[in-house]
Amino acid sequence: MKLEEKLQLLRKQKGYSQEQLADKLGIARQTISKWENGQAIPELPGLICLSELYGVTIDRIVKEDDECNISLSQKADIDITAVIPFLISAKKHTYAGNGSNAKASRVASHDFSYQEKDFLYYDTYLGGEKFSGEEAVWFHEKPIWTMNYCGRVTGANFNADFLKEALFHVPKDMPYRGPAIYTKGDYHYHCKVDGEFVWYQGYEEIFYSGEKIYECFFHGGEIR
């Protein structure tokens, strides 16, 4: 495995975009692109930062011998970027898309499930106007990603259909709940996230004619 291929692999395993990695290293995104295209090689300070960020020794990053690469591949996590398209599809086929409920896994729980090939998604929550739940993704029956959430209706004129519509527009660059901003008539949905796909926390809220009527906190990340 060439250095540029290994740099791509390590970045994708952690779920970072080139922009996110560049921000963490304090360099330009174009520099990351050149590294991964084989047009440039990271200097020692960059290699040290990558080693600390990925938890991989510098030797493991730069050496191209087969034994080293086999060891790296054996310890590698699933490519998180492969999970995101599935997760978005799962969300659109379940609660956000008015999908059918699955069999309740707990007393009085609301459950949804969705599967594509080796991926399985499950969403289960308790409550109604005040609720708490969890979403999770499995790959080959192994849990790899999860999100816990807890929310409540705080005012009149709450519209569950508007919430579902906002969640249906979940973006690829923020595949947790809904988009940063979604508006329809007097309803306004806002969502803010800190962190990356592998470790994050966020908050969403809905306003009706300027009054906050709903809020939800969520957090989660990669599991292994």
Side-chain angles (χ1 to χ4, degrees), residues 47-103:
L47 289 171
I48 293 174
C49 290
L50 291 171
S51 174
E52 293 176 348
L53 182 63
Y54 295 144
V56 177
T57 64
I58 293 177
D59 281 353
R60 183 72 56 81
I61 295 175
V62 300
K63 285 186 177 180
E64 295 188 5
D65 66 65
D66 293 337
E67 183 177 351
C68 175
N69 291 328
I70 290 173
S71 178
L72 175 66
S73 298
Q74 288 176 338
K75 294 182 179 180
D77 301 320
I78 184 173
D79 182 351
I80 295 299
T81 58
V83 182
I84 294 176
F86 165 75
L87 179 60
I88 291 175
S89 179
K91 288 173 177 290
K92 292 184 175 183
H93 281 86
T94 52
Y95 177 79
N98 290 307
S100 300
N101 283 48
K103 182 179 179 180

Side-chain angles (χ1 to χ4, degrees), residues 171-212:
K172 292 181 180 179
D173 62 341
M174 202 169 73
Y176 312 104
R177 297 286 290 177
I181 298 175
Y182 186 78
T183 299
K184 186 174 184 180
D186 292 324
Y187 287 94
H188 299 270
Y189 170 94
H190 301 157
C191 184
K192 180 180 179 181
V193 180
D194 293 318
E196 289 86 27
F197 192 72
V198 294
W199 186 254
Y200 62 90
Q201 59 184 353
Y203 174 71
E204 68 180 5
E205 54 190 351
I206 294 176
F207 292 83
Y208 177 79
S209 296
E211 176 190 358
K212 186 166 75 170

Side-chain angles (χ1 to χ4, degrees), residues 109-123:
S109 68
H110 307 275
D111 294 61
F112 300 88
S113 65
Y114 180 75
Q115 187 166 8
E116 285 183 9
K117 297 181 180 179
D118 298 317
F119 285 102
L120 172 66
Y121 166 87
Y122 210 90
D123 177 16

